Amino acid sequence: MFLVVLFYIKNRSGAENQAGLQPTLAYNDTDTLADLVNRDTDQDGVLDWEENLWGTDPNLKETTPGTPDVKAIEELKTKEGKTGSPISGNLTETDKFTQELFSTVSVLSQSGTLDQVTVDKLSETLANQIKNSPVEKIYGISDLKVKKDAGVAAITKYNDEMYAKLKKYPLRESPIDILDEATTEDGNIDGQVLEKLDPIAEQIKKIVGEMLQIDVPETFTTYHLALINSLEKLSENLTDVQSIDTDVIVALGAMSQMEQNIDSLESSTANLQAALEKKLNS
Amino acid sequence: MTSGNKTTKFIISLLIIAVIFPTVLFSRPKKTEATFGWISDFFAPLIHGTTAITAINTGTQTSISLKNLAKEILKEVARAVARRALAAMTQSTINWINSGFHGQPLFVENPKSFFKDIAKTEIKDIIDIVGYDRLRFPFGRATALNTIASYKRGFEQNAQYTLSNVIKDATLLDSYRNNFYVGGWNGFLINTQYPQNNYIGYQLLYNEELARRLDGTIQNTAATVATTLQQGMGFLSPEVCDTNPLYNNLQNQFNRPRWNQSEYDRNNWFPPNEDITSGEFQLYEEEYQQELQKAKAEWAKTNDCPGNLRATTPGSVVAASINKALGGPQDLAIGGVNYGNSLSAIFDALLNKFIGDGLSKLASTINSPTPNEDNWDFEGNTLGVADPSGVSTLSNWLDTPDEVIVLANFKKEVADGIENTQKELDLMDNKDGSTPGLTQVFTQIWQQTRALDQCVPGPDIYWQNRLTEEMDKNISIISGALGKGEDKEDTTGKVPLVIRELKYAVRFFGDWVEEKMITDLPGSVIYIDAVDELETLSPQANQLSAARREKIQTLSRLNSLEDALADFSGDPEPGSNEEKDLITLRKEYNAIKQNISTSLTISNRKSELDTAKERYFRLDSLTTKCTSERVVKGWNPNGGQDSQFQNGDSEIKLYCDAPVVGGYPH
């Protein structure tokens, strides 16, 4: 999900390199790692850093004359009973991330550019990317049913309709309580307890679905939309954090965003409530 | 979130009991359409936790504290997830390397020792080839022994002409080299078979050394490995054997199993009968060779790889190292209120652990597992010790092996250090009159020198300096009086003349005093020389006081180390805090080690003390002799400026006034 950027940087099969669309790893002020990691001096399809690890010559297509490096490597794999490229297949985000990290560090180390400054820059970029990973779905005004009527009656109707629809999905359990419960005495996380977050995430999805069906007075679209998007983000976070046992980097990304998303949910509910009070009391 | 967590939960439960009942029974709004507060209430569980629904109704303050509580919970979880992430990433890297990259790797933790091992292996190889087959390599044995000895010594010793160690006579040496009648077969062999003893051999040795120093011009095994290591970022691929599945795999090409001929002979070789005939010997030899081949073939089943070993790539050693380095979750100190920063710190840490030479940090360099004992030998000669004398010739700490700390030995070293240092300190300073230290003896020497100086008739020590100072003072007075100040022109033109005359007079006076002094008593010259030796005492005393200060500091550090070590009852568990503490103590010990007294420094100090004492006794006896000579000559027994000669004149009058009163014509 959020590591697509990293994955694209060095995805050999990915013809359309989308790194340009996203902030990418930087190792100095002007260059990105993409060029360095993707360098294939002898153009044989095996990247330079990987050739070094396989013991083949990055400058020669055929380290052993007569046997192309690609073939030699394939043979080695076959002999070992390993199949497939190490960077393809069903990889978790954690796998992709660590592979990227390893190859990035390998290539930087080989090129002699892995100094403290680069390390700092790289780690900062990585941390930022995890924190600012993209959201699956962001709703826009076009997704809402907007009513031009801004009279008190319409607003009251909006309020009542919201209440009627949402009360079908009362939030009895708090994700924070579950997270607290999942934290074990020794500071670890019990992944099974986190599964209790799933019904909550589902319920939030349903609430979002209901909110999308409600007629929203034009003056409330901003508040309504903000609330929907906050809920959507939180719901995604709650789903993602459950992957702690299977794909921990995803969970880490979710946890690093959750506080911010909860804050944004709090402010959007407060704003909506204040706006309603103001309109209906005036 | 441990015990605090439980407390929090308990408080929350109380809050629920205290608050939720009135809320449920009395306050729940029946007609929600009329109110708008439902929105906040509805979403509150997502924001604050379930307790927040009720807490909000109890007041703003509680609401805020619950919100903070929620944030704390989130942070705690984030930290835990971050720790889990590191562990998972490590595991993922390992899995990736082990699956995508096949086989078991070797990570060279200590390249220096590794290269030394390569050198040893090369030597073993060559000796195994030439050392045992006396038919094909008649000189093999001698060469092998010489090679082992050469390995243990440096170039300087290796290239040294050996006979000059035993024959000091240059003419004989020359004859030994050039005249067969002098050296005979012995001389011939010594001069031809040892390369350093003849021109060609010496040239070979020299060229070899030169080539070794011209780094990088020759691609030898070590250089090849260095290149490979560089390419693999410290990973060296060990080799696996495709042709022999029984081969001890995962041995790298530089550490292959080898046939131990020496050990085989020890167990299986027995000497032939003394009266053996030539035919029987032939049989005996054939039988031995057959058995040998059989044993070798058996050995080769699991230890030989026909064809070549095949290189593999990194994996498990790196994995183990990374695992060790990253440790369990409790090892990772992830501080900071903002876990965003923590993330950054985590990746910093992780990346640092991945950096090229940083890999060596992955392995514990202290108390690392003891390497397998190298039991290779050739006729009892091993390559294990670099210097047979036992004195380390290692110039660099990198060359030294990892240090293993054994508590009992460490304690003993500290205790011995305290004892020795105290002993040396006692030699330096001991107020006990029966066993005075150097400080006390120096004081006595100074007093005795003064007594001797006063005994010798004439001015006291350093009188020449005082005379020159006096002259300089007068020169400046004269210059001033005659109008030649520092920045004044000499208007009279008399200054140089007067000053020259003064200088002449002073020099003359000095010569006169000196001459009178050395001739006054029969032993005056000896006494004056002994007194002048006082000049050397001052730097000696300064050195002594610096050394004493250093020893006192060392002793107090050793005492505190001993106290700290007393808390350890046994060798700590590897990886425990106690082990870390012990390592810290060892480091402290190593830091002061060179200042700790040893039997060598004690014996040096003792001989210094003995010399000082001898000097004192000599001064004492000279003073006695001087006093008796004074009396014989007609002086008072007691010296000094007021002591009187037999004619009643004082020393000061005879030495200072006499040449001046009346003056001498010049």
Side-chain angles (χ1 to χ4, degrees):
Chain A
M1 182 183 74
F2 57 90
L3 274 165
V4 279
V5 182
L6 283 172
F7 187 49
Y8 280 134
I9 289 173
K10 201 193 57 50
N11 192 344
R12 290 184 303 165
S13 56
E16 313 95 337
N17 189 333
Q18 295 187 23
L21 303 175
Q22 306 277 1
T24 184
L25 292 175
Y27 76 96
N28 63 26
D29 287 339
T30 51
D31 300 330
T32 65
L33 275 172
D35 307 330
L36 205 54
V37 177
N38 283 319
R39 186 178 294 163
D40 183 4
T41 310
D42 54 10
Q43 298 287 311
D44 63 354
V46 185
L47 301 175
D48 285 1
W49 68 269
E50 209 182 335
E51 292 222 29
N52 276 323
L53 289 176
W54 285 106
T56 51
D57 188 337
N59 302 312
L60 295 173
K61 281 187 181 177
E62 296 178 358
T63 305
T64 311
T67 315
D69 286 348
V70 182
K71 203 164 170 250
I73 292 171
E74 282 308 317
E75 277 172 12
L76 284 172
K77 284 182 191 166
T78 316
K79 270 186 190 169
E80 281 297 315
K82 316 286 182 203
T83 48
S85 166
I87 54 165
S88 64
N90 292 327
L91 294 177
T92 64
E93 296 303 333
T94 308
D95 291 336
K96 291 176 199 166
F97 184 85
T98 47
Q99 288 175 19
E100 287 300 334
L101 188 64
F102 184 77
S103 50
T104 302
V105 174
S106 297
V107 78
L108 281 174
S109 185
Q110 280 163 9
S111 66
T113 44
L114 193 57
D115 53 11
Q116 192 54 46
V117 178
T118 316
V119 167
D120 291 345
K121 208 170 179 73
L122 188 57
S123 55
E124 195 188 314
T125 324
L126 290 169
N128 279 338
Q129 284 191 354
I130 287 184
K131 281 201 291 180
N132 304 324
S133 49
V135 192
E136 255 178 20
K137 175 80 186 161
I138 296 172
Y139 294 97
I141 302 241
S142 57
D143 295 314
L144 298 181
K145 288 182 174 176
V146 183
K147 286 277 176 194
K148 286 212 182 287
D149 187 357
V152 174
I155 296 166
T156 311
K157 185 176 171 267
Y158 165 72
N159 181 37
D160 291 348
E161 203 178 346
M162 278 270 280
Y163 180 73
K165 295 239 179 195
L166 300 195
K167 75 175 182 183
K168 289 190 279 181
Y169 310 102
L171 297 159
R172 291 202 177 82
E173 268 202 294
S174 159
I176 290 163
D177 289 350
I178 293 169
L179 287 171
D180 191 18
E181 187 189 339
T183 316
T184 58
E185 293 283 327
D186 58 1
N188 213 326
I189 298 282
D190 185 343
Q192 277 192 327
V193 177
L194 289 185
E195 284 173 16
K196 290 187 193 172
L197 290 172
D198 208 34
I200 302 177
E202 282 304 306
Q203 207 163 358
I204 297 174
K205 288 259 182 207
K206 282 177 190 159
I207 291 170
V208 168
E210 292 290 354
M211 282 179 75
L212 288 169
Q213 300 305 316
I214 293 170
D215 290 336
V216 186
E218 198 174 19
T219 45
F220 282 89
T221 47
T222 321
Y223 305 120
H224 194 80
L225 199 59
L227 182 57
I228 287 179
N229 280 325
S230 304
L231 287 167
E232 173 66 28
K233 281 189 214 164
L234 185 60
S235 157
E236 283 179 22
N237 285 166
L238 295 180
T239 308
D240 289 346
V241 79
Q242 292 171 58
S243 56
I244 184 160
D245 290 329
T246 50
D247 202 353
V248 69
I249 283 286
V250 175
L252 185 61
M255 277 318 297
S256 66
Q257 295 174 338
M258 200 178 286
E259 187 181 346
Q260 194 190 340
N261 289 342
I262 286 175
D263 282 348
S264 122
L265 176 64
E266 188 183 21
S267 62
S268 56
T269 50
N271 289 342
L272 178 61
Q273 188 169 308
L276 278 171
E277 277 177 20
K278 198 177 164 194
K279 281 280 176 188
L280 293 179
N281 287 336
S282 61
Chain B
M1 274 301 128
T2 54
S3 60
N5 191 15
K6 299 285 173 214
T7 318
T8 310
K9 284 179 178 172
F10 179 64
I11 294 169
I12 289 168
S13 309
L14 279 181
L15 277 171
I16 292 169
I17 294 163
V19 180
I20 203 165
F21 283 97
T23 311
V24 171
L25 296 177
F26 308 112
S27 307
R28 196 179 176 93
K30 285 174 184 168
K31 276 184 72 74
T32 51
E33 290 87 348
T35 61
F36 322 105
W38 69 270
I39 297 177
S40 291
D41 285 355
F42 184 84
F43 290 110
L46 297 181
I47 298 162
H48 304 294
T50 45
T51 50
I53 306 171
T54 57
I56 281 166
N57 292 329
T58 66
T60 323
Q61 208 172 358
T62 322
S63 167
I64 290 167
S65 68
L66 282 171
K67 191 178 162 190
N68 288 341
L69 177 67
K71 283 186 184 263
E72 280 308 313
I73 292 170
L74 285 176
K75 280 172 187 161
E76 192 61 33
V77 175
R79 285 189 196 109
V81 175
R83 286 193 287 264
R84 182 80 76 82
L86 255 190
M89 284 166 70
T90 312
Q91 194 55 46
S92 175
T93 312
I94 296 158
N95 291 345
W96 182 50
I97 293 170
N98 275 342
S99 58
F101 302 105
H102 57 289
Q104 303 283 325
L106 174 75
F107 173 66
V108 179
E109 286 175 28
N110 184 346
K112 283 236 171 191
S113 121
F114 181 76
F115 287 125
K116 272 191 174 169
D117 286 347
I118 293 174
K120 282 186 190 174
T121 311
E122 294 291 305
I123 293 171
K124 289 173 191 173
D125 274 344
I126 201 158
I127 289 178
D128 286 346
I129 293 168
V130 301
Y132 294 97
D133 193 338
R134 293 181 190 180
L135 287 172
R136 285 165 65 212
F137 304 102
F139 311 117
R141 183 178 165 275
T143 319
L145 290 171
N146 198 25
T147 310
I148 293 170
S150 299
Y151 171 77
K152 294 177 180 177
R153 297 188 308 250
F155 169 74
E156 195 182 338
Q157 286 156 301
N158 284 336
Q160 214 170 55
Y161 182 64
T162 57
L163 282 185
S164 40
N165 286 333
V166 286
I167 301 174
K168 303 290 178 195
D169 184 338
T171 322
L172 182 62
L173 265 182
D174 192 52
S175 309
Y176 216 81
R177 275 199 293 271
N178 299 315
N179 189 342
F180 188 83
Y181 290 105
V182 175
W185 281 112
N186 243 351
F188 172 77
L189 286 172
I190 285 169
N191 286 308
T192 55
Q193 299 308 297
Y194 289 85
Q196 67 270 44
N197 290 352
N198 62 73
Y199 179 76
I200 297 169
Y202 178 80
Q203 190 65 38
L204 285 173
L205 278 179
Y206 174 80
N207 285 346
E208 199 182 315
E209 176 70 9
L210 192 64
R212 195 185 65 72
R213 287 175 189 224
L214 295 173
D215 186 32
T217 50
I218 298 166
Q219 185 85 347
N220 53 24
T221 315
T224 315
V225 179
T227 316
T228 318
L229 271 181
Q230 215 168 5
Q231 285 170 352
M233 295 191 307
F235 299 115
L236 184 70
S237 308
E239 320 270 286
V240 291
C241 182
D242 292 329
T243 48
N244 180 4
L246 293 174
Y247 177 77
N248 295 333
N249 271 325
L250 310 179
Q251 302 256 5
N252 77 72
Q253 64 209 359
F254 306 105
N255 187 24
R256 294 172 71 158
R258 58 189 60 250
W259 168 254
N260 193 334
Q261 180 72 36
S262 198
E263 193 179 308
Y264 176 81
D265 281 349
R266 261 200 297 276
N267 299 326
N268 301 288
W269 186 82
F270 51 92
N273 293 329
E274 279 179 16
D275 50 354
I276 194 167
T277 64
S278 168
E280 283 170 340
F281 184 78
Q282 188 79 22
L283 272 176
Y284 163 85
E285 189 63 30
E286 272 172 20
E287 200 179 321
Y288 170 80
Q289 288 298 338
Q290 271 174 11
E291 289 298 319
L292 178 66
Q293 292 314 318
K294 221 187 281 176
K296 274 191 174 175
E298 188 58 36
W299 176 86
K301 276 184 190 168
T302 51
N303 294 298
D304 193 26
C305 182
N308 260 331
L309 289 174
R310 182 171 53 73
T312 61
T313 32
S316 72
V317 171
V318 174
S321 301
I322 293 172
N323 251 342
K324 202 198 280 176
L326 294 179
Q330 69 278 10
D331 290 340
L332 293 163
I334 301 167
V337 181
N338 185 344
Y339 53 77
N341 290 341
S342 302
L343 270 182
S344 195
I346 291 163
F347 291 116
D348 263 354
L350 187 72
L351 284 167
N352 274 320
K353 286 171 194 306
F354 271 111
I355 303 172
D357 60 354
L359 275 170
S360 57
K361 290 177 190 152
L362 293 175
S364 159
T365 50
I366 296 175
N367 286 353
S368 60
T370 327
N372 291 335
E373 200 185 339
D374 183 0
N375 65 352
W376 182 92
D377 73 281
F378 179 74
E379 298 190 358
N381 292 281
T382 68
L383 292 170
V385 184
D387 187 339
S389 69
V391 178
S392 174
T393 54
L394 305 172
S395 57
N396 189 327
W397 62 270
L398 272 173
D399 293 333
T400 55
D402 293 340
E403 189 173 8
V404 178
I405 307 168
V406 179
L407 184 67
N409 297 349
F410 187 18
K411 279 184 174 175
K412 192 172 178 308
E413 276 177 71
V414 172
D416 289 350
I418 290 175
E419 194 188 333
N420 287 334
T421 311
Q422 185 60 58
K423 222 181 252 179
E424 192 176 345
L425 259 175
D426 288 346
L427 289 172
M428 291 169 150
D429 183 14
N430 194 347
K431 293 188 175 62
D432 182 354
S434 58
T435 52
L438 264 170
T439 313
Q440 285 71 27
V441 176
F442 279 175
T443 313
Q444 287 172 337
I445 288 175
W446 190 81
Q447 287 167 349
Q448 202 58 46
T449 309
R450 194 160 159 265
L452 180 63
D453 183 30
Q454 294 206 330
C455 173
V456 180
D460 292 343
I461 188 169
Y462 303 136
W463 63 270
Q464 293 96 330
N465 297 350
R466 291 197 295 277
L467 183 66
T468 314
E469 277 169 23
E470 195 64 25
M471 181 185 75
D472 290 344
K473 214 184 325 178
N474 282 296
I475 286 175
S476 71
I477 292 170
I478 292 165
S479 305
L482 293 178
K484 166 114 172 81
E486 280 185 6
D487 49 359
K488 281 184 193 170
E489 285 292 316
D490 171 22
T491 49
T492 61
K494 292 179 182 171
V495 172
L497 186 67
V498 174
I499 289 176
R500 264 205 307 276
E501 286 201 6
L502 176 67
K503 281 185 178 170
Y504 177 79
V506 168
R507 198 165 54 241
F508 183 84
F509 173 68
D511 289 348
W512 182 85
V513 171
E514 200 169 338
E515 192 184 325
K516 186 169 168 53
M517 276 178 80
I518 57 175
T519 52
D520 213 336
L521 301 180
S524 277
V525 178
I526 297 166
Y527 309 143
I528 290 169
D529 285 349
V531 169
D532 285 344
E533 276 177 24
L534 192 67
E535 278 186 23
T536 61
L537 192 69
S538 176
Q540 268 182 310
N542 288 342
Q543 277 173 10
L544 178 70
S545 100
R548 196 171 146 255
R549 198 165 45 240
E550 192 179 86
K551 291 290 171 196
I552 289 171
Q553 283 172 359
T554 307
L555 187 64
S556 73
R557 280 175 202 276
L558 280 171
N559 281 327
S560 74
L561 270 176
E562 191 176 44
D563 287 346
L565 281 174
D567 296 340
F568 290 85
S569 50
D571 285 311
E573 290 295 313
S576 64
N577 282 335
E578 286 77 24
E579 189 196 38
K580 284 181 194 154
D581 292 343
L582 188 63
I583 291 168
T584 311
L585 291 177
R586 184 68 196 185
K587 282 181 185 164
E588 284 173 23
Y589 175 80
N590 287 343
I592 56 165
K593 200 172 179 182
Q594 60 178 8
N595 294 336
I596 298 173
S597 303
T598 60
S599 53
L600 185 73
T601 61
I602 292 173
S603 119
N604 287 344
R605 195 66 70 189
K606 198 164 179 311
S607 62
E608 195 184 338
L609 179 63
D610 289 343
T611 316
K613 279 181 180 168
E614 273 173 32
R615 188 169 160 187
Y616 167 74
F617 291 133
R618 185 167 166 267
L619 281 169
D620 188 43
S621 78
L622 285 177
T623 312
T624 316
K625 201 174 159 201
C626 170
T627 311
S628 58
E629 280 182 9
R630 269 180 76 93
V631 175
V632 171
K633 187 84 184 184
W635 288 94
N636 281 352
N638 294 328
Q641 60 181 5
D642 297 326
S643 69
Q644 288 184 333
F645 195 56
Q646 53 194 4
N647 62 1
D649 286 344
S650 69
E651 201 177 307
I652 194 165
K653 185 179 177 194
L654 286 171
Y655 270 86
C656 298
D657 296 347
V660 183
V661 174
Y664 290 98
H666 56 268

